[in-house]
Structures are given as structure tokens and as C-alpha cells.
Amino acid sequence: MEATAKPLLIPPQMAVYAEEHQVFDILQNMVQNLLMDRPDDPVQYLIHHLRKDNDGVPRIVVLGPPASGKHTMAKLLCKRLNATHLTPENILSNDVSALVEEALSYKGKDQEIPDVLWARIIQERLSEVDCAKRGWVIEGFPQTREQGLLLQMNGISPDHIVVLDAPDIVLIERNMGKRIDPTTGEIYHTTFDWPEDPEVQKNLVEPAGISEEETGKRLLEYHRNILGILRAFPKKYKKINADQPCMDVLSQALTYVLSKPRSLAPFTPRILLYGPPGSGRSLQAALLAQKYDIINVSCGQILKEAVADQKKIGQLIEPYIENEQQVPDNLVLRVLGDRLSRLDCTTRGWVLHGFPRDAEQAALLNDAGYIPNRVFFLDIPDDVAIERLSLRMTDPVSGERYHSLYRPAPRVDVHRRLQQNPADSEQKVQARLDMYHASAEELEEFYQDVIHVNADQDPHTVCEFIESCVVKPLPKRIPGEPPSP
């Protein structure tokens, strides 16, 4: 097909399907596991891998010095993510494993369990059904850089490592108040987490190794090893201040572990900007298009271009534009669909503004296959919108646009000939704002992953925030919870 005579149109469903079903990520994981395990029958191995359907389960390690709250945080993460909680102690409770029996024989002789054996035991445990299906959170392991490297050599690589951090003096104070229920193994604290049940209080005992001197030695050992561990897992860890309320630590940890690692899959941005009049949609679209070489699709502009082309569709649209009436949705979609399905939009991506304006138009756009992967709501107060629009005027000679407050005319003669667009009068702007507010809530419900942006600030600051949300993958959702707006 001659692209100069008739633009090559590509069905939008292709890119949407690949992104929605994470086709490239699946292929990447399959090849990665195939090269790591090197099975004799690659085809059957890949079939088995696809049947497991566990590429998206949590794989988390929680590290931290003594008394930093590793145990509590690991349990809370497992509860929220429905994952399996693993510690070096409970991994050694598997009484049917030959590897575990070998490790216990070392412990019976008061000898250190070899790191190679630890790696094989953990590999064996992670291959069991509960870890494979639900994911896992490992608490307090690896403890050295060598252990971390051996885990990776055995094909174990966490997606997220949560590193709890707090001043040593705080940790020593915490550790000295620790108490354990020998019946259940639950950990309590004399200051922060004392049980209400008197019977439980009577059973609590002071664990071994919590004196100030012993805690200091364990802290020294931890600080000696932690940097080496983190170097073994670059770009996979996040330090979180553990010297704050537990729920605050959990909130930060959840935000991190629900974030998706950067994918090597090709990403074509399909951005929708929605906001009240005066929120700066056109400017933000122009900035994004200029920086990332994506196509700036202004609905109003392409309708005018269709009229200027004098084609059949343009002749149908022209009467509505001349009479300042809303163009019917079916005509808008025909023009919009033709533009969004061209090769440049399909390969480079697009940023759309001016359509849809309500949930009904959004449904029509989705049904046509043009589904944005980022939806931004540019939020500004009504009085700011009125101030931005009602005080702007245009020089009919030069075509330059000025604003009484932010960009006044440079000379008196220019100021005298400035003219205001009738659509920018305060009454008409308020009417457009009312129309916006009438549809905004329904449109936000339609697009579940809406990102709100404070547009009442410097335009380049707004653009930087939008950029950060475009280049980063959307966070995972907690199982069983509705998507957050």
C-alpha cells in the first residue's frame, strides 16, 4: 500500500491486547527461566511454566537489623498479599526433606549450616505449591553477600527487597523489651505491644540474646554484611525508616512491593488528558509530544482539519462547527479513529485531549479499540480557571495571546487593540465548568486507574509529574481490593 496516497492504518486492538495480556513480559520470563533451568525438553518445560501462571506473584525479601520489626512486617505483608511467610527457622521444620535433615545434623553438632546447603533448601521450599502459586516473603535471609549470590545461582531472585533501618540506640532499646510466648511463638514488647490477656502475660518469657552487649554484637555483624548483600541485588531494594509507627512502615513497604519493576517490553504511550477549561491540557500535550516524539491529537483541531480538507466527512461536520454546535459522536469517532489508527500513532504513541468529555463518549472510544494506558485529570479550582481564561486576550495584528496578570501586552498600542474571544467571557467559562463537573465523576469511574494532577502550578512542574507517571509501570493491585483512583 502506498503510504503517501493513503495512510497505512493499523488496528488498535493489536497493541492493546499485547499490553493487557503482558505478551512481551510473558515471553521474557519464559526465555529467562528456560536459560536458567536448561531443561532437556524445552517445549514441555515452557508448557508447564505457562500452566503454573505465577509470573505475577510476590517475591519479597525483608531484611533489617535486630529489633527493626522484620517479623512483624513480613507477617503483615503476607496477610495483605496472601503470600507464604518464610523464615530460616520455619524452613527447617520440614521433617520430610533430606536436605533439611542434613542441615539439622549440622545444628545438632553446633556447626554452621553451609551456605550452599541453605541455597538448596530454600530452592526446594520455594518450589512447593504454596510458594509457587501464592508467592513468598522471606524474612531475614540472606544474611551475607555469599548467600545472596548463591540464591541467584540457584535461580532465586526476589523482585523487591524491603530493608528496614533505624538508629542502633533505638534498636537496642526495642530488643531489650522483647518477650516471647513459648506456646505460640508470638513476639510481644513490654512498651509497644503488650498483650491484653493476663494469661498470655504470665506465659511470656525473655528470649536469649537480648542484652545490650549481645544486641550490639549482632548489630555490628549486620552492618558488616548489609552493604555486600545490597550490592548483590542492585536496584531491587528500598530502605524504609523503621523508627515510626508500624502502619506507616507497612504503607511505605506496600507502596514499594506493589510497584512493578521496569519491563524490557516495548511501551507505546496512549495518554488521555482530561480537565476543566483553563487547566492546560493543550500545553501539556504539546510539551509531552515535543519531548517524547508522540503524536499530539487535539480533537478540536482534527475536526477543523477535516473541514479544511473538504472531504465528505468534513462537509458533514462543517455545519455544526459554523453554528457552534457539538459535532455528533459518530462523526467525531470516524475522524478520531482515522487519526489514531495511522502508523505514526500506532508506533510512536499519542496524547489525546478534547475527547471524550463524558462516560458515554469514553465507552464509544473504548469500543472502537482506542484504550488509553494512562489517564490524567488536570485539577484546578474554578476561580483559577476563570482567572486564566477571562483575563486572556489576543492581538489581532500579530496573533499573539496575552494575559492581564501573567503576560501583559508589552506596549500601550498593543494593549489597546487586544480583543477577547467571546467564549472566554466569565459567564461562558462558568457554563463550561458546570458541564465539566457534571461529567467528571462518571468519567473517573469509567477509567479506573485515573491519576490526578495538581495543575495549579508551574506548567513544567505539572509536565514532570505526568512524565514520571508515564515512564513508570502502574502499581500492582492488592488481591481482593478495588483499584485505587
Side-chain angles (χ1 to χ4, degrees), residues 354-375:
F355 190 93
R357 297 184 178 182
D358 53 43
E360 184 177 347
Q361 291 181 346
L364 292 173
L365 191 66
N366 269 30
D367 292 342
Y370 306 105
I371 304 174
N373 49 26
R374 295 291 188 278
V375 180

Side-chain angles (χ1 to χ4, degrees), residues 275-344:
S279 58
R281 292 167 298 173
S282 300
L283 176 57
Q284 295 303 324
L287 292 173
L288 291 171
Q290 181 181 20
K291 182 166 185 177
Y292 291 100
D293 194 31
I294 58 180
I295 308 303
N296 182 357
V297 182
S298 168
C299 183
Q301 184 63 33
I302 64 171
L303 290 177
K304 294 175 183 177
E305 291 174 358
V307 172
D309 287 342
Q310 290 297 311
K311 294 182 180 179
K312 185 176 180 181
I313 184 67
Q315 294 172 2
L316 295 174
I317 294 172
E318 187 173 10
Y320 295 97
I321 294 182
E322 288 181 349
N323 296 322
E324 297 185 355
Q325 296 177 343
Q326 184 171 335
V327 179
D329 293 343
N330 62 327
L331 297 180
V332 176
L333 273 177
R334 284 178 59 184
V335 177
L336 200 57
D338 177 75
R339 185 67 191 92
L340 294 178
S341 58
R342 291 185 191 174
L343 185 62
D344 57 353

Side-chain angles (χ1 to χ4, degrees), residues 175-187:
N175 209 36
M176 293 176 65
K178 185 185 296 184
R179 299 293 182 270
I180 294 180
D181 186 341
T183 306
T184 63
E186 289 293 321
I187 300 176

Side-chain angles (χ1 to χ4, degrees), residues 61-63 87-88 115 118-119 122 138-143 147-148 151:
V61 166
V62 179
L63 300 177
T87 66
D115 291 342
W118 263 123
I122 292 177
I138 299 179
E139 171 200 333
F141 196 92
Q143 298 174 353
Q147 290 177 348
L151 287 180

Side-chain angles (χ1 to χ4, degrees), residues 151-180:
L151 287 180
Q152 295 181 66
M153 291 174 64
N154 282 268
I156 303 167
S157 182
D159 293 327
H160 301 89
I161 299 179
V162 176
V163 183
L164 304 179
D165 194 25
D168 286 356
I169 189 170
V170 173
L171 298 172
I172 292 173
E173 180 184 352
R174 280 188 184 181
N175 209 36
M176 293 176 65
K178 185 185 296 184
R179 299 293 182 270
I180 294 180

Side-chain angles (χ1 to χ4, degrees), residues 62-129:
V62 179
L63 300 177
S68 59
K70 300 187 297 294
H71 185 73
T72 300
M73 197 51 49
K75 286 178 60 178
L76 289 173
L77 287 173
C78 287
K79 184 177 180 181
R80 295 295 295 272
L81 302 175
N82 192 31
T84 302
H85 181 199
L86 301 177
T87 66
E89 292 75 21
N90 68 27
I91 289 176
L92 294 179
S93 64
N94 186 353
D95 54 3
V96 298
S97 168
L99 293 175
V100 170
E101 288 183 6
E102 183 181 351
L104 292 176
S105 68
Y106 281 97
K107 290 193 70 174
K109 301 174 185 177
D110 291 330
Q111 297 177 354
E112 289 287 335
I113 300 174
D115 291 342
V116 175
L117 181 57
W118 263 123
R120 293 171 59 198
I121 290 173
I122 292 177
Q123 181 188 32
E124 179 184 62
R125 180 66 183 89
L126 296 185
S127 65
E128 295 182 13
V129 175

